[in-house]
Amino acid sequence: MNKLSLLGVAAFALIATAPALAADLPPEMPVKATFQQRFTWTGCYMGAHAGGIWTRTDATDPVLLVQDNPAFGLAGNTVGTTTANIRQSGAVIGGQIGCDYQFSPSFVVGIEGGASGSTLKGSTLVPFQPAVAFPGETALVKVTTDFIPTLTARVGYAVDHWLLYAKGGAAWAYNKYSVIGAFQGTPFDAEGLSIKTGWTVGAGVEWAFAEDWSARLEYDYYDFGNQTVTMSYTDPAGVDSFTGPMRYRQTAQALKLGVNFRVPGWQ
Amino acid sequence: MMAIIGNTHTQVPSVTPPTDPYQPNDNTVLSPFSVFWGGAITSNVGAFVQVTYSSPDPVSSLTGLPVDQFKHTWSWDNADVRYASTTNIAGLDVIYGITANNNPTVQDLWNTTPAWTFPQAASTLANTPAASTLIEGAFSMRVAGVGVYTMINDMLYLELTGYKTLGFSQQNLLGINPFDGPGLFNGVAPYWRVALEPHWGPHTFMLGTYGMIANVNPWIDNTFVLGTTGTMPLSDRFTDIGIDSQYQYQGPNYWVTLRANYIREYQRLDASFASFASANPTNELNSLKLTGSLAFGANNRIVLTGQYFDVWGSPDANLFADANGFANLNPNSNGWMAELAYIPFGASKAPGWPWFNARIGLQYIYYNKFNGTTLNAHDNNTLFLHAWLAM
């Protein structure tokens, strides 16, 4: 028998077995909806955000810093403690990189690094003490926060193209502090810088409006705790100078609207 | 081997008397000249090692100051030895490995970070802005670092490396003048890198962050007049955070590349403030570079590159005093840079190709502000015509 004949036999055998297979099948296969790949939040993303931010900073003690400083010849003269409450408000704009993993089957966990530039500024006037001894003399206490990086984890629950999530992690605030004014006719401008390390928690909702794109609305609360900052002043002539500690406590709240590009190719 | 031969012309002569072995201006110098070794050592281990000759500094090597004894013309340069392997985790391709290198960011994959940023060829004689962040080369070749890295799914790069400074005699032995650096690290300085790079069709985009935290004990006396190589017991802490991005488009016969790099440095100057080297206990320094380039012609023979650069930070009456070469007590400098480069041999059958390659470049740097002032900033404008030869 040549090879062609053998092929012919094999083909016949296949055809012959076909009815037997068909007979084993149910009369109608269950028909699913047209196959469509299910959306998943698994993958990495990069994006941008913008919004508003509000902070409260307690600064202790600007009066002591200036009034009790030996540079002004009144060391030990201050009575009591003065805490200045400074409200800041401004805008934030920044970016984020993160990765999510969806499992079981609607839970999502992820990690995200973000950085925001901000226009946060605030100031308040505090009088020297006692006011009757120094009438009209005040110090302007200013706080500027212009950079807030974060590193957070998030957990969420996915409802198809929607994700409800909560997040938490570490945050840092880049602050500049100033105490400006004149005391008994001598001007001063003490300044200090700090990176305050704190924590943040937040919650939000994210909507995948396209296969690779999502938008989100998020609320964040930050607590940067207490920190002692060395304030220093050197006049332009380099004659009068002083340093001294001030203690700052800062909290913040932000509302951000963001958009993410979800990098394809992770599923 | 690689050599850069360049002619430097500055708007006002930059080499101050006594100028030997140079002229006040319009000098043609071979600097640097480097010998490289790179390649696989085993199937998983490879290395890139560079040794460099640099022309002597004007004046300083001839003045007879004690510090000169630590200056060298031959030194080790960038070096990176790494282990790499691949695996598959949950369906994702993963490249992972270990890097051991001597310059933070030399191990990086992108040209946005300091070690490989534009301009890759620069005059060694022209004045350049004196203030820069620590991660922009202050400790290059003065450290040894070991770290782990991974590239996941050809998109997400993660790295964590720890650096320690080499000792005074080790740096000197390798041809580095230790006193040209800020001091020695107190402990290990962590370096991190995260970058996400999606690519689709001819487009590639990257957004990333990197940074380093270093505690630095400054030299007690970097002039060596006191005869000590010791460092101060207090340290300054530098926290650098970089954010970088790159977009590349590959056209049929051209490449367009846009790069952005921003570094923010927070300085807690416990040691410098105590020794009156700085007037402030804390300072801040920022560096921004925005670069665009167009490469076109056969095998990208012609490359046009432009860059805006800006360095700004806290005023400091001591750190940025006139005596240190600054004005208005601040470190600010900014300006523009443009370069036209031509690669004559490309992929042609020119004599010696591919064993002999050359890149001819004409570079111009324009300063709006230089070391704190716009006054006479243009004096430092630099025209650098150079030939970059590789064999």
Side-chain angles (χ1 to χ4, degrees):
Chain A
M1 194 178 284
N2 61 35
K3 287 183 181 174
L4 283 173
S5 300
L6 282 171
L7 280 173
V9 171
F12 175 79
L14 285 172
I15 293 165
T17 56
L21 285 171
D24 294 338
L25 291 172
E28 287 185 6
M29 291 287 288
V31 179
K32 288 188 176 178
T34 306
F35 177 79
Q36 183 179 6
Q37 187 175 0
R38 196 176 157 189
F39 180 81
T40 174
W41 290 89
T42 297
C44 292
Y45 59 88
M46 58 175 68
H49 62 259
I53 185 166
W54 300 265
T55 71
R56 176 195 165 113
T57 303
D58 297 334
T60 309
D61 176 338
V63 172
L64 189 73
L65 173 75
V66 178
Q67 186 171 301
D68 235 41
N69 207 291
F72 293 95
L74 292 173
N77 223 31
T78 304
V79 178
T81 301
T82 303
T83 297
N85 306 123
I86 305 144
R87 303 278 183 173
Q88 298 168 265
S89 61
V92 287
I93 184 166
Q96 64 272 349
I97 300 176
C99 293
D100 288 327
Y101 178 68
Q102 184 171 346
F103 63 101
S104 183
S106 297
F107 291 97
V108 175
V109 293
I111 186 166
E112 180 180 293
S116 305
S118 91
T119 62
L120 274 172
K121 285 180 182 172
S123 63
T124 190
L125 277 171
V126 292
F128 290 112
Q129 302 291 347
V132 289
F134 310 106
E137 295 206 63
T138 56
L140 181 68
V141 185
K142 289 173 64 177
V143 182
T144 303
T145 307
D146 63 355
F147 190 49
I148 306 173
T150 57
L151 181 63
T152 53
R154 72 170 177 173
V155 293
Y157 186 80
V159 183
D160 197 27
H161 284 58
W162 291 85
L163 177 70
L164 303 170
Y165 65 89
K167 62 186 284 190
W172 296 266
Y174 282 62
N175 288 331
K176 179 179 178 181
Y177 310 101
S178 306
V179 181
I180 306 165
F183 183 62
Q184 296 192 314
T186 305
F188 58 85
D189 180 0
E191 294 196 339
L193 294 170
S194 79
I195 301 178
K196 297 187 78 171
T197 302
W199 53 267
T200 178
V201 291
V205 58
E206 188 159 351
W207 170 47
F209 60 85
E211 196 62 29
D212 300 328
W213 293 89
S214 60
R216 70 186 187 187
L217 181 66
E218 180 179 298
Y219 166 82
D220 294 322
Y221 176 82
Y222 305 86
D223 191 328
F224 297 106
N226 284 295
Q227 189 179 33
T228 300
V229 176
T230 302
M231 305 291 290
S232 70
Y233 167 66
T234 304
D235 75 1
V239 178
D240 295 321
S241 65
F242 66 85
T243 61
M246 276 190 61
R247 192 155 184 81
Y248 295 93
R249 171 168 172 71
Q250 187 177 37
T251 57
Q253 299 178 78
L255 192 62
K256 301 175 190 170
L257 195 59
V259 62
N260 285 326
F261 170 64
R262 310 194 69 83
V263 179
W266 289 86
Q267 291 85 41
Chain B
M1 287 187 286
M2 175 199 91
I4 296 176
I5 304 168
N7 177 272
T8 301
H9 172 81
T10 49
Q11 192 156 314
V12 168
S14 62
V15 182
T16 51
T19 61
D20 287 344
Y22 304 106
Q23 305 169 41
N25 206 346
D26 301 310
N27 290 284
T28 301
V29 174
L30 167 66
S31 185
F33 170 78
S34 290
V35 178
F36 296 89
W37 186 86
I41 297 171
T42 71
S43 57
N44 290 102
V45 177
F48 168 87
V49 180
Q50 182 182 1
V51 176
T52 292
Y53 167 85
S54 303
S55 61
D57 289 344
V59 184
S60 56
S61 63
L62 305 170
T63 56
L65 289 174
V67 72
D68 285 351
Q69 65 186 286
F70 302 114
K71 286 189 177 292
H72 307 272
T73 48
W74 282 96
S75 67
W76 80 329
D77 207 322
N78 293 313
D80 184 11
V81 182
R82 61 174 60 199
Y83 169 85
S85 188
T86 59
T87 187
N88 188 285
I89 300 173
L92 299 175
D93 292 328
V94 175
I95 301 170
Y96 66 95
I98 299 168
T99 173
N101 64 76
N102 66 350
N103 182 6
T105 73
V106 75
Q107 71 275 39
D108 201 49
L109 306 182
W110 293 272
N111 287 108
T112 47
T113 49
W116 300 109
T117 192
F118 174 83
Q120 287 80 21
S123 169
T124 54
L125 291 177
N127 293 325
T128 54
S132 64
T133 61
L134 179 137
I135 204 168
E136 291 178 288
F139 281 93
S140 56
M141 278 64 80
R142 303 174 193 282
V143 293
V146 178
V148 292
Y149 67 91
T150 182
M151 174 68 100
I152 302 170
N153 208 26
D154 198 25
M155 287 183 197
L156 179 64
Y157 180 80
L158 305 170
E159 182 194 335
L160 185 64
T161 298
Y163 286 94
K164 269 187 79 74
T165 39
L166 302 172
F168 185 94
S169 56
Q170 291 167 316
Q171 290 186 38
N172 195 42
L173 190 68
L174 290 162
I176 302 294
N177 178 6
F179 285 137
D180 283 346
L184 298 178
F185 285 174
N186 181 0
V188 175
Y191 165 88
W192 70 88
R193 174 65 157 144
V194 177
L196 184 59
E197 185 185 64
H199 31 83
W200 63 101
H203 307 272
T204 305
F205 182 75
M206 182 277 287
L207 178 66
T209 179
Y210 62 99
M212 190 170 180
I213 299 173
N215 294 309
V216 180
N217 295 110
W219 301 114
I220 291 172
D221 171 28
N222 65 1
T223 64
F224 201 56
V225 170
L226 301 176
T228 176
T229 61
T231 57
M232 295 180 187
L234 288 173
S235 60
D236 295 330
R237 168 173 279 215
F238 298 83
T239 304
D240 288 17
I241 293 183
I243 297 170
D244 63 329
S245 185
Q246 175 176 285
Y247 168 75
Q248 279 192 316
Y249 175 77
Q250 184 178 14
N253 195 26
Y254 63 93
W255 284 77
V256 175
T257 306
L258 304 174
R259 296 188 178 103
N261 184 39
Y262 169 69
I263 302 169
R264 182 174 184 129
E265 180 173 273
Y266 173 74
Q267 307 169 348
R268 201 187 71 202
L269 303 170
D270 295 347
S272 298
F273 185 63
S275 65
F276 303 106
S278 71
N280 304 327
T282 50
N283 276 338
E284 211 172 71
L285 193 62
N286 299 272
S287 172
L288 174 69
K289 287 180 177 168
L290 302 173
T291 311
S293 78
L294 171 65
F296 62 98
N299 292 292
N300 297 329
R301 280 187 172 185
I302 300 171
V303 185
L304 296 169
T305 308
Q307 182 184 77
Y308 172 75
F309 58 90
D310 197 352
V311 178
W312 72 99
S314 312
D316 190 301
N318 296 354
L319 213 52
F320 307 123
D322 292 359
N324 294 335
F326 294 90
N328 302 320
L329 309 180
N330 76 68
N332 303 356
S333 297
N334 62 57
W336 298 84
M337 204 179 297
E339 186 182 88
L340 169 62
Y342 177 62
I343 302 169
F345 303 133
S348 72
K349 299 303 176 190
W353 191 89
W355 303 107
F356 179 78
N357 292 287
R359 189 178 195 263
I360 312 299
L362 182 64
Q363 182 186 97
Y364 186 70
I365 306 174
Y366 174 87
Y367 292 100
N368 292 315
K369 185 177 278 188
F370 192 89
N371 288 350
T373 180
T374 55
L375 188 67
N376 300 327
H378 300 338
D379 290 355
N380 301 286
N381 293 353
T382 303
L383 185 67
F384 182 53
L385 175 64
H386 60 277
W388 187 345
L389 310 170
M391 190 173 77

